[in-house]
């Protein structure tokens, strides 16, 4: 079949732009690539009407991964500020754990403009202001997309050999896909965090590095402040900050019932800002580069990536594939990794003349080997953390997290909690004993799950059996986690 383009990238956000650049790079611009976004060019990549809602933090290592492979550099103005790592504080603030590693604070409004310029130079075409609603099929093969042109209100249709879906967490294309039973369409509500943040300038208040540090992204774990999630103060300069938090809805309801309150996410964020003593007179940024992006709420998934990332003629990347890391909702790193590698997988499939599920399958394996092997273990660990009390978190961070565990977490791996065995019988209190058992349990499940992901089937045929075993282990783990809940 003759198609309008070789590859269509649905969604010109962070992941979609990198995917388009990657296809262009790996095909030496031989393939024609079209990016379709619902926004006009001046606000391309915008997640919602309120902006590019994000904490804006990414590791330098992830950006280097892209630059080294597909020769796409990021610099100023999209990199707004540099940090030395992340500092996580326990609820009682007695323990702080540094996760070192150079990182960047991005300007998410600027970044897509840089990506747009660079993609155009790499030969990528763009259609703007198109609301995509469905995939087009020929038999059992995806052959394009359809939607509505927002400027003319006319129906819009474009065909391609492969469609890359990068339309974000709420993807209608993934939700409605008809030619696969392997790709999941929807996720459990408990695997979604409601989050929000402000980008603000402030006057210097008290000197307190637990509240603001120009060199570190600060994370506050606290089930009263951010139930089932965490709150953050990420520096964007000496007196500029990205400040916000994420919660899990059922945990917020429990917290509100426990404290006799009726707080929602926005209310919690505003309370969090006003109680910060290092930040005086906070006001939303009026910089032109934050003009459409100073405040807003959005959702982020915190589970393993979709069990299958490919279907006939169709692949998913970034938030559409639920790639953000289950432990901290960091989605930029995995979106960069997957976006960078997807070009090679798609180009290889097109050049081999096989753009079926089987021809695109290698993308599943490459993503798992690079990143996805660890996500289901972290999903279980995250579910356990959400059940803990503030006292348990403080105790656990003080006594159970050794240097090796901190190192593992900073690499995005599941900690082994070797300290717990050394601690043995001297753990104080029934709740802390339960916590120790829970942590050892998630570490054990993680070993099995990691091994299982490394045994991801090499071809689609083995998938059903592989998935059956995965889901049995996950279901058993969730039932067991209930017994650790207080
Ligand atoms: C509050 C918050 C804080 C976060 N903090 C961090 C952080 O500090 N570090 C980190 O690594 N990650 C963070 N994340 C996650 C990170 O922002 C995402 O993982 C990342 O933006 C994913 O990029 P994406 O391109 O996959 O999706 P998106 O950024 O959502 O882009 C999707 C694009 O597709 C377009 N689109 C959607 N639907 C359609 C349609 N029907 N038709 C046409 N176009 C469409 C959208 O307009 C947008 O341009 C955070 C998320 C939230 C919500």
């Amino acid at each position: 079949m003759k198609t309008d383009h070789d590859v269509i990238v649905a969604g010109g956000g962070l992941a979609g732009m990198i995917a388009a650049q990657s296809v262009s790079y790996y095909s030496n611009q031989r393939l024609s690539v079209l990016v379709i976004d619902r926004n006009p060019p001046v606000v391309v990549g915008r997640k919602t009407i309120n902006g590019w809602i994000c904490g804006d933090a990414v590791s330098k290592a992830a950006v280097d991964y892209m630059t080294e492979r597909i020769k796409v550099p990021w610099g100023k103005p999209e990199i707004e500020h540099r940090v030395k790592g992340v500092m996580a504080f326990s609820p009682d603030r007695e323990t702080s754990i540094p996760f070192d590693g150079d990182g960047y604070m991005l300007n998410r409004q600027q970044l897509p403009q840089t990506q747009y310029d660079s993609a155009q130079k790499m030969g990528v075409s763009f259609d703007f202001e198109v609301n995509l609603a469905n995939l087009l099929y020929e038999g059992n093969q995806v052959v394009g997309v359809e939607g509505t042109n927002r400027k003319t209100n006319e129906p819009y249709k474009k065909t391609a050999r492969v469609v890359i879906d990068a339309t974000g967490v709420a993807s209608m294309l993934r939700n409605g896909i008809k030619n696969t039973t392997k790709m999941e369409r929807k996720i459990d509500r408990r695997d979604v965090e409601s989050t929000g943040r402000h980008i603000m300038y402030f006057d210097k208040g008290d000197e307190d590095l637990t509240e603001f540090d120009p060199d570190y992204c600060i994370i506050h774990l606290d089930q009263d402040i951010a139930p089932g999630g965490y709150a953050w103060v990420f520096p964007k300069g000496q007196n500029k900050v990205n400040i916000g938090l994420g919660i899990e809805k059922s945990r917020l309801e429990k917290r509100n019932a426990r404290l006799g309150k009726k707080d929602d996410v926005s209310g919690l964020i505003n309370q969090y800002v006003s109680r910060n003593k290092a930040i005086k007179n906070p006001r939303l940024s009026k910089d032109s580069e934050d003009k459409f992006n100073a405040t807003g709420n959005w959702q982020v998934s915190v589970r393993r990536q979709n069990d299958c990332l490919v279907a006939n003629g169709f692949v998913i990347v970034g938030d559409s594939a639920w790639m953000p890391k289950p432990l901290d909702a960091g989605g930029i790193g995995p979106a960069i990794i997957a976006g960078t590698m997807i070009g090679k997988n798609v180009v290889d499939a097109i050049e081999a003349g096989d753009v079926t599920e089987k021809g695109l399958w290698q993308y599943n394996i490459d993503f798992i080997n690079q990143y996805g092997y660890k996500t289901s273990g972290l999903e279980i660990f995250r579910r356990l953390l959400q059940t803990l009390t503030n006292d348990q978190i403080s105790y656990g961070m003080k006594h159970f997290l050794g240097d090796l565990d901190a190192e593992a977490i900073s690499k995005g791996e599941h900690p082994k909690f070797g300290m717990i065995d050394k601690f043995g019988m001297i753990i104080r209190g029934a709740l802390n004993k339960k916590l120790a058992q829970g942590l050892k349990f998630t570490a054990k499940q993680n070993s099995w799950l990691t091994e299982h992901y490394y045994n991801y089937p090499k071809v689609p045929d083995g998938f059903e059996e592989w998935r059956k075993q995965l889901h049995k282990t996950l279901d058993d783990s969730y039932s067991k986690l209930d017994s650790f809940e207080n």
Side-chain angles (χ1 to χ4, degrees), residues 116-392:
Y116 175 38
D117 283 351
S118 149
Q120 278 180 304
K121 287 188 188 121
M122 294 173 86
V124 174
S125 316
F126 284 81
D127 274 354
F128 291 104
E129 296 186 68
V130 174
N131 248 339
L132 295 172
N134 287 306
L135 294 167
L136 297 171
Y137 299 87
E138 199 172 270
N140 204 26
Q141 184 76 19
V142 169
V143 292
V145 289
E146 66 178 345
T148 312
N149 183 322
R150 297 173 71 166
K151 286 173 284 189
T152 60
N153 232 2
E154 301 274 313
Y156 174 98
K157 268 189 196 185
K158 281 277 159 78
T159 57
R161 293 200 261 180
V162 176
V163 173
I164 299 177
D165 175 21
T167 56
V169 63
S171 171
M172 289 171 72
L173 305 182
R174 178 210 61 223
N175 282 354
I177 188 153
K178 295 197 183 96
N179 68 343
T180 170
T181 53
K182 298 186 179 72
M183 187 179 284
E184 299 161 277
R185 292 163 184 72
K186 296 259 162 72
I187 53 176
D188 194 316
R189 277 292 323 160
R190 286 169 301 176
D191 290 332
V192 177
E193 294 266 310
S194 296
T195 59
R197 58 95 185 100
H198 303 311
I199 297 177
M200 303 183 116
Y201 278 94
F202 61 92
D203 300 333
K204 278 213 163 96
D206 297 353
E207 191 69 40
D208 182 348
L209 293 178
T210 72
E211 299 280 20
F212 177 79
D213 186 333
D215 293 326
Y216 277 87
C217 288
I218 288 176
I219 282 181
H220 290 130
L221 294 165
D222 191 310
Q223 301 283 34
D224 293 345
I225 292 174
Y230 65 85
W232 70 83
V233 184
F234 290 176
K236 300 206 103 182
Q238 295 298 325
N239 64 340
K240 189 178 179 188
V241 73
N242 178 317
I243 184 165
L245 54 81
I247 59 99
E248 194 273 306
K249 279 219 167 101
S250 68
R251 296 285 152 191
L252 174 61
E253 281 161 20
K254 284 192 180 150
R255 173 261 188 204
N256 278 345
R258 177 166 50 81
L259 300 178
K261 299 204 167 168
K262 290 191 174 152
D263 291 319
D264 59 13
V265 179
S266 301
L268 286 173
I269 296 171
N270 292 335
Q271 290 168 34
Y272 181 59
V273 173
S274 59
R275 65 191 283 286
N276 189 315
K277 296 210 166 52
I279 291 178
K280 284 269 165 326
N281 187 22
R283 59 260 175 205
L284 291 177
S285 170
K286 294 204 174 86
D287 290 349
S288 58
E289 58 271 24
D290 300 318
K291 192 168 159 194
F292 308 110
N293 196 32
T295 181
N297 296 3
W298 189 228
Q299 311 162 7
V300 61
S301 65
V302 280
R303 53 158 266 166
R304 65 193 186 280
Q305 69 278 358
N306 200 309
D307 291 345
C308 179
L309 305 174
V310 309
N312 292 332
F314 186 69
V315 282
I316 50 180
V317 66
D319 281 18
S320 166
W322 309 315
M323 285 182 174
K325 181 139 51 74
L327 210 47
D328 59 13
I332 301 175
I336 290 178
I337 290 169
T340 299
M341 66 176 44
I342 206 170
K344 178 150 180 19
N345 298 128
V346 167
V347 172
D348 284 351
I350 290 178
E351 289 182 347
D354 182 0
V355 291
T356 63
E357 171 187 88
K358 185 157 171 280
L360 293 162
W361 195 257
Q362 189 61 33
Y363 172 51
N364 275 320
I365 296 168
D366 288 349
F367 183 71
I368 285 169
N369 286 341
Q370 191 61 47
Y371 192 92
Y373 64 89
K374 57 192 170 191
T375 53
S376 63
L378 293 176
E379 176 182 320
I380 297 180
F381 184 32
R382 187 264 305 161
R383 286 215 188 188
L384 174 72
L385 289 181
Q386 288 177 319
T387 68
L388 303 178
T389 63
N390 275 349
D391 286 347
Q392 283 178 308

Side-chain angles (χ1 to χ4, degrees), residues 395 399-400 418-428:
Y395 189 90
H399 299 294
F400 298 155
M419 302 275 285
I420 292 176
D421 301 323
K422 286 193 201 136
F423 233 73
M425 302 302 287
I426 55 168
I427 298 169
R428 250 187 324 114

